[in-house]
Amino acid sequence: MDNKIAALKDKIKEAGLGGGPARIESQHQKGKLTARERLHFLLDEGSFEEIGMLVTHRSTDFGMEAEKYPGDGVVTGYGNINGRLVYVFSQDFTVFGGSLSETHAEKICKIMELALQNGAPLIGLNDSGGARIQEGVVSLGGYADIFYRNVQASGVIPQLSAIMGPCAGGAVYSPAITDFILMVEHTSYMFVTGPSVVKTVTHEEVSSEELGGAYTHATKSGVTHFACANELEAINHLKRLLSYMPQNCEEVPSPLAYSQNQDEGRPLLNQIIPENANQPYDVRSVIEQLADQDSFLEVHKDFAENIVIGFSRLAGRSIGIIANQPAYLAGVLDNNASVKAARFVRFCDCFNIPLLVLEDVPGFLPGTDQEWNAIITNGAKLLYAFSEATVPRITVIIRKAYGGAYDVMNSKHIGADMNYAWPTAEIAVMGARGAAEIIFKKEISSAADPQQKLLEKEQMYAGIFANPYRAAERGFVDEVIEPAVTRIKLIKAFKMLENKVVNNPRKKHGNIPL
Ligand code: HXC
């Protein structure tokens, strides 16, 4: 018996070493942690239970039968994050560069199925050279098996991907289907085809970092939601991100402790909007006043900065915030902002996270670039996402709510539950000057002093529409409120909406304008 136990211990020890000490050293030299070290930092101490530690590949081509490593390049199992069950896989670059073999894929699929059946989040730590080249089509099949399960799990359990090394070729599509991607600066990259293929096909010279590094995807493509300075920052970000989410679509996020009867007045909000309606301000300063202290976790911070999105807490409860950002492009809605916000709205709706919209939007961005890149379709995505969302939804119109953007930004008409406006709100088809130029065109051009006439007409139009009261008279706005009381109003309203039940018409699935 002792011999057998000793043999088992030897096997466990061997598996723990992955591709061996030299390759572990090489991994460290690159500034990267190993697959197991990452799990050590991610999961509560002593909570990790490994599944499939002794799995090896079945490949016999290219002399592969002589080179086997227990675990086959991926560590899989389950554990806890702050006491909550999660399923994890962590690719081991020290074994065949973390490449995906048939058995490597089977291990990941097993974890995915357990996560789905047991209703707990799935976290993937990706560090892989892609398909196991020695295995050919078997490896490609393994990828597709994973993609299929990603899709089955979408909207049922949260799926988070951290990219901590290479992630290239078709391998990118599993993270892309998951709900959130985090990348590590300088040590991770994602692309469908790498620099050498790019050079051959398009003659562009580009480095891996420039083509698909964390900064590129956080700012240019929006593929990643977070760019983290190092692996530990990424791991801590993963944990924080998860804290806003429930285990699955049947649950609500766990609230944090919150004591009633605090002073919820926020007098600073009465001063936050500049006197001049065209002057910018940072909407994050509004969020800071409204949300629980230090609770805002911004998503996609450096992409489509004209809209700010992120998770926050209000009286201890998770909410998703979507806010136009007047400090960037005047907060206009464009292609990227529409898609960014739409996907976030849909995530929150999947997982019972109520939505708060802070609106200050001059409209959709005009121009050929926007039209040719389908602002019609992309704007419709946001409209669709809000319209189908059944979670509690509240809008606060802070300042501008112009044109189609008024409708799109969670208006009463598309199903918002409560719509507040500050006295600074301007709810109209367009800005007063543009409106005056169109409807009083003849009168202005024939006036002795056209500029003076334009000003007169602009002021007249503004007097009628540059306020929240026309909308309030119609009930499109439920209440015009002093900014200072917004937080308490929101706390009460979200509490009132806690048991909201809305069922969209029965259907197979909708057809969002993709
Ligand atoms: C098998 C692989 C491998 C792979 C790396 N290795 N990638 N083994 N299949 N795909 C092995 C190497 O042989 C090496 O083994 C070890 O991993 C580390 O690799 P290095 O090249 O030494 O590391 P590094 O210099 O850091 O370069 C990492 C790398 C490079 C950029 C990822 O290895 C690389 O370009 N690999 C090939 C990438 C690729 O073309 N993959 C297929 C993409 S197509 P030893 O024994 O020396 O430690 C694809 C299709 C998927 O993935 C489609 C799904 C639908």
Side-chain angles (χ1 to χ4, degrees):
M1 183 66 177
D2 282 354
N3 283 353
K4 291 193 172 172
I5 292 173
L8 169 64
K9 285 186 175 165
D10 283 348
K11 279 183 185 295
I12 293 172
K13 193 170 168 203
E14 189 193 350
L17 285 175
R23 292 191 181 95
I24 291 175
E25 178 55 24
S26 158
Q27 179 86 343
H28 288 157
Q29 292 284 323
K30 291 177 191 156
K32 292 161 71 181
L33 297 169
T34 65
R36 288 178 189 281
E37 286 165 346
R38 288 167 183 156
L39 291 177
H40 167 78
F41 289 114
L42 179 68
L43 301 172
D44 295 350
E45 203 175 340
S47 71
F48 181 52
E49 291 294 328
E50 189 165 346
I51 297 175
M53 181 194 271
L54 301 180
V55 168
T56 55
H57 69 73
R58 305 182 192 111
S59 177
T60 51
D61 293 314
F62 308 106
M64 285 292 278
E65 67 273 24
E67 205 178 347
K68 292 197 175 187
Y69 300 89
D72 201 27
V74 63
V75 182
T76 54
Y78 62 95
N80 292 340
I81 292 181
N82 295 323
R84 289 172 58 180
L85 174 67
V86 293
Y87 292 83
V88 289
F89 69 85
S90 180
Q91 291 179 313
D92 183 354
F93 191 81
T94 70
V95 176
F96 300 114
S99 58
L100 189 125
S101 65
E102 180 186 24
T103 43
H104 179 128
E106 282 170 3
K107 284 182 69 177
I108 294 177
C109 288
K110 190 189 269 186
I111 290 301
M112 295 176 88
E113 275 160 25
L114 283 168
L116 186 55
Q117 287 161 6
N118 293 284
L122 174 77
I123 299 178
L125 307 181
N126 296 257
D127 188 0
S128 167
R132 178 88 46 91
I133 294 168
Q134 296 89 335
E135 293 203 8
V137 68
V138 179
S139 169
L140 299 186
Y143 270 118
D145 290 338
I146 294 171
F147 304 156
Y148 178 75
R149 283 162 181 77
N150 281 134
V151 174
Q152 297 305 309
S154 181
V156 184
I157 52 171
Q159 301 183 84
L160 311 181
S161 302
I163 315 300
M164 301 187 141
C167 182
V172 297
Y173 288 113
S174 171
I177 294 167
T178 64
D179 298 303
F180 290 99
I181 298 181
L182 300 88
M183 291 183 73
V184 180
E185 282 166 16
H186 309 300
T187 50
S188 73
Y189 51 83
M190 296 178 80
F191 37 66
V192 173
T193 51
S196 59
V197 176
V198 169
K199 191 171 175 198
T200 311
V201 177
T202 70
H203 310 294
E204 290 169 285
E205 296 252 15
V206 64
S207 67
S208 289
E209 184 68 20
E210 207 183 339
L211 182 64
Y215 178 77
T216 296
H217 284 312
T219 58
K220 290 189 201 311
S221 70
V223 164
T224 192
H225 299 85
F226 302 95
C228 305
N230 54 54
E231 292 194 16
L232 285 182
E233 189 183 298
I235 287 168
N236 287 332
H237 236 72
L238 269 174
K239 295 189 205 186
R240 188 164 176 220
L241 186 58
L242 190 69
S243 74
Y244 296 93
M245 303 170 190
Q247 289 295 86
N248 56 60
C249 64
E250 305 293 342
E251 297 181 6
V252 292
S254 301
L256 294 188
Y258 164 74
S259 49
Q260 302 276 333
N261 306 322
Q262 298 178 21
D263 177 12
E264 304 293 8
R266 294 290 181 270
L268 275 181
L269 288 174
N270 284 355
Q271 264 80 52
I272 225 157
I273 302 298
E275 285 298 327
N276 177 350
N278 293 322
Q279 208 177 314
Y281 59 92
D282 189 343
V283 76
R284 293 188 194 93
S285 59
V286 176
I287 294 172
E288 195 183 298
Q289 290 292 312
L290 293 178
D292 293 358
Q293 204 176 357
D294 298 327
S295 71
F296 186 53
L297 176 64
E298 189 168 348
V299 174
H300 261 149
K301 184 163 73 63
D302 301 309
F303 177 71
E305 292 168 69
N306 36 332
I307 201 153
V308 170
I309 59 170
F311 297 102
S312 189
R313 288 197 175 82
L314 198 61
R317 291 181 186 278
S318 274
I319 56 169
I321 296 181
I322 300 98
N324 305 117
Q325 172 58 294
Y328 194 93
L329 290 175
V332 77
L333 279 177
D334 62 2
N335 282 306
N336 287 346
S338 302
V339 176
K340 165 179 163 176
R343 183 149 170 85
F344 184 68
V345 167
R346 296 193 101 210
F347 174 82
C348 291
D349 192 45
C350 284
F351 293 106
N352 308 315
I353 300 171
L355 294 168
L356 170 62
V357 172
L358 303 176
E359 182 169 0
D360 187 348
V361 59
F364 281 96
L365 184 61
T368 50
D369 174 64
Q370 290 297 308
E371 296 291 351
W372 295 348
N373 284 296
I375 186 63
I376 295 172
T377 313
N378 291 320
K381 286 176 187 152
L382 184 55
L383 174 59
Y384 191 110
F386 274 126
S387 300
E388 74 171 348
T390 57
V391 287
R393 296 197 257 145
I394 300 180
T395 299
V396 181
I397 303 176
I398 290 176
R399 193 167 62 177
K400 294 171 190 160
Y402 286 160
Y406 158 74
D407 283 346
V408 169
M409 288 300 292
N410 201 35
S411 64
K412 181 65 93 192
H413 321 272
I414 61 168
D417 300 294
M418 290 298 292
N419 295 65
Y420 297 106
W422 286 2
T424 41
E426 302 174 9
I427 307 170
V429 174
M430 57 169 59
R433 172 165 285 243
E437 277 170 348
I438 293 169
I439 55 181
F440 303 113
K441 189 175 170 184
K442 284 191 192 134
E443 220 178 309
I444 291 166
S445 62
S446 60
D449 183 347
Q451 276 312 313
Q452 181 54 35
K453 187 54 98 188
L454 172 61
L455 191 65
E456 228 174 76
K457 295 294 183 190
E458 181 185 341
Q459 283 168 351
M460 188 179 109
Y461 189 87
I464 297 170
F465 284 114
N467 63 63
Y469 299 108
R470 281 290 172 99
E473 283 165 20
R474 295 268 168 175
F476 300 163
V477 159
D478 295 295
E479 196 179 351
V480 182
I481 57 174
E482 184 185 334
V485 303
T486 310
R487 180 173 154 88
I488 185 66
K489 291 276 179 190
L490 292 176
I491 291 173
K492 285 183 174 176
F494 276 123
K495 178 97 187 120
M496 175 271 287
L497 294 165
E498 216 169 33
N499 297 320
K500 176 183 174 186
V501 178
V502 169
N503 291 313
N504 284 331
R506 211 184 77 78
K507 60 181 96 172
K508 192 171 172 197
H509 60 72
N511 188 14
I512 188 165
L514 295 172

